[in-house]
Amino acid sequence: MAVLARSAEVTRRYGDVVALDRVSLDIRAGELVGLLGPNGAGKSTLINLFVGLRRPTSGTVELFGGSPRDPLIRRHVGVTPQETGLPEVLRVAEIVDFVSAHFPDRVATPELLDRFGLGDLAKRQVGGLSGGQRRRLAVALAFAGRPKMVFLDEPTTGLDVEARRTLWDGVRSFHEEGGTVLLTSHYLEEIEALAQRVVVVGHGRVLADDTVQAVRDVVGVRRVSLVAGTLPELPGVLGVEHADGRTHLVTTDPDRLVVELVRSGTPFSGLEIRPTTLEEAFLAITSQETTSKETTSEETTSKESTHV
Amino acid sequence: MSSLILTHTRYQMLEQMRIPISWVASAFFPAASMLAFVVPFAAADPVAATRATGSMMMIGAISAALIGLSITVSQDREQPWNHYLRTLPAGPLPRFAGRIFTSMAIMAVAVIPVLVIAALFTEAAITWPRLLLGIGALLAGSVPFMLIGLFLGFTLPSKAAIAVSQLLFFPMCILGGLFLPPQIMPDFVQALSPYVPSRGAVELVWSATTGSAADPAGLVMLAVWTVAAGVAAVWAYRRDEGRRFA
């Protein structure tokens, strides 16, 4: 399969802060890739490099075999703007017309608005839209030029459950028709629902790059759930959670944990061991990282300004 | 490419039109200067009044171009929407051209009160063809200031752009002979005058409106400034990656 977006040994610095550290990543035609990572991990910087907003300090970034800074290359991609920055005085249809005028093969404005449930709002000024409506408009803009690949940076943040499902269906049908997607999200549920491949970044590096299933397995994190009173100190526990009278322990070594639990003589009942969700796996991967390196405040600041 | 220029022009015109106060602000300064400097001092002599009217129009145009563009461009750069626009498949030209045409429209509107004041309160006299020629000269002469405005907007944060553009504006106007005719200025100002773009620009306007011979040195320098400012503006656009907090 053709590689649509590629970064090879890419490093990007902002002053002394290393936002990306020798990142190599290939995204092939037809893939739906989820990009995961805490704030300041380098997600936005990576997307900014792929869409031509920034240049790497070293290494190379390719988009459709060319440079992302070439406008002709960017005809093939769609990007979501941050909904907070949409021009307030313009009307919804005016913004869509303006954006789609940049693309040779465009979707008719009424059709695009209908697809994202904005048909009734075409004549409204953006300043009068709700947060959710702005978000949907922002996502719609990514699809205005019939792109081959879209970069969706947190497409459903701030949407209610129903609107989120509708948007997911939209992304899925784009993907089923052969479209390629790079998606970032705060909702791990979203990545699990949509993505086949997950790339976890932290501190500017790729920590894991595999299928959703494999990322869960690779960390081997399990969730041990039981009903018990006060538990003793147990080995390999990454996280503890109490819900509905049950205690949930996230661990890398459920066998040893259970052995130690039994040895301690603590009474318990209703023991369950399950594979983790992606969220738990993600927390496990990034918490291993955090212990070895502190997140710098500068990194968080640079994220503010680099957001697409 | 030309259709994208039209697209960007229309988009920026729409934004401007929905904020009518920005038009009032651009029209106010040249009209006020006209009442303060031209009506009391140069109203009696037709040629002097016509030249002074041309100078006031040029002051308004330079203000809209240099100060107006540098501030709006630098403020836009701090908006996330600007990052998004840079991901669209277009180079710098459509956005540059869109901004320049929109500024020209604002200038053309800002000229109206100046002309009304000139007609009512001074002896300034002009034929219709010379008036149109004069407005054409005004727009052409303001291009280097728009490009300098774009350059400042793309290189400076908005607070600095406000300060720097004002600092450049007044010396430009004084050295170019816009507030007072160059002939009555001190020698060193007269010596410097042909080398600032405002002199060539206003010479063009004077020549178009009164038929006087334009100073060739000023016109050559105007062309040099236009090219240099264009190169600087494109360079600034290309190196810009939005605001950085390193």
Side-chain angles (χ1 to χ4, degrees), chain A residues 28-203:
Chain A
R28 286 170 289 276
E31 281 191 305
L32 207 168
V33 181
L35 191 58
L36 271 181
N39 281 346
K43 290 189 306 259
S44 293
T45 300
L46 188 58
I47 287 190
N48 286 346
L49 290 166
F50 277 136
V51 299
L53 277 175
R54 288 183 185 275
R55 270 175 283 217
T57 310
S58 66
T60 53
V61 180
E62 273 178 31
L63 192 64
F64 288 82
S67 162
R69 295 185 71 86
D70 176 356
L72 287 179
I73 293 278
R74 293 202 302 270
R75 284 182 171 184
H76 304 297
V77 303
V79 179
T80 39
Q82 243 182 306
E83 80 275 15
T84 49
L86 296 170
E88 305 252 309
V89 294
L90 293 193
R91 299 182 199 288
V92 170
E94 286 168 353
I95 293 193
V96 175
D97 287 341
F98 169 72
V99 168
S100 49
H102 289 79
F103 297 90
D105 183 14
R106 59 197 76 145
V107 183
T109 299
E111 184 196 328
L112 186 73
L113 291 179
D114 280 342
R115 208 200 291 171
F116 288 88
L118 296 164
D120 301 337
L121 304 171
K123 291 203 155 56
R124 286 270 288 279
Q125 283 189 316
V126 171
L129 299 184
S130 73
Q133 290 165 338
R134 286 173 193 227
R135 193 77 286 236
R136 274 184 283 155
L137 173 59
V139 177
L141 292 178
F143 294 92
R146 296 192 198 279
K148 296 197 178 93
M149 178 172 187
V150 290
F151 293 85
L152 305 177
D153 200 0
E154 299 184 9
T156 63
T157 304
L159 290 188
D160 59 37
V161 176
E162 198 190 334
R164 186 177 303 166
R165 303 267 165 199
T166 314
L167 233 151
W168 287 359
D169 289 341
V171 173
R172 276 200 203 96
S173 68
F174 171 74
H175 178 239
E176 276 156 18
E177 288 158 20
T180 307
V181 182
L182 181 65
L183 172 87
T184 74
S185 181
H186 276 328
Y187 302 110
L188 293 129
E189 181 200 358
E190 182 160 278
I191 304 265
E192 280 192 305
L194 292 175
Q196 299 146 331
R197 178 179 162 203
V198 183
V199 176
V200 182
V201 291
H203 305 295

Side-chain angles (χ1 to χ4, degrees), chain B residues 156-169:
Chain B
L156 298 174
S158 61
K159 287 206 169 91
I162 293 170
V164 172
S165 60
Q166 309 255 17
L167 280 177
L168 284 176
F169 172 70

Side-chain angles (χ1 to χ4, degrees), chain A residues 12 51 53-55 69 71 74-75 79 81-82 85-87 89-90 94 98-99 101-103 125 141 305, chain B residues 4 7-8 11 14-15 18 80-81 83-91 238-239 241 243-246:
Chain A
R12 172 71 213 214
V51 299
L53 277 175
R54 288 183 185 275
R55 270 175 283 217
R69 295 185 71 86
R74 293 202 302 270
R75 284 182 171 184
V79 179
Q82 243 182 306
L86 296 170
V89 294
L90 293 193
E94 286 168 353
F98 169 72
V99 168
H102 289 79
F103 297 90
Q125 283 189 316
L141 292 178
S305 63
Chain B
L4 268 186
T7 302
H8 278 254
Y11 161 78
L14 278 173
E15 272 208 306
R18 304 246 163 96
W81 178 248
H83 294 272
Y84 172 70
L85 292 184
R86 294 177 72 102
T87 70
L88 292 175
R238 291 201 192 282
R239 75 173 263 290
E241 295 190 338
R243 249 196 106 174
R244 264 172 289 198
F245 302 91

Side-chain angles (χ1 to χ4, degrees), chain A residues 227 242-248:
Chain A
V227 180
H242 301 279
D244 306 325
R246 294 182 68 85
T247 304
H248 306 281

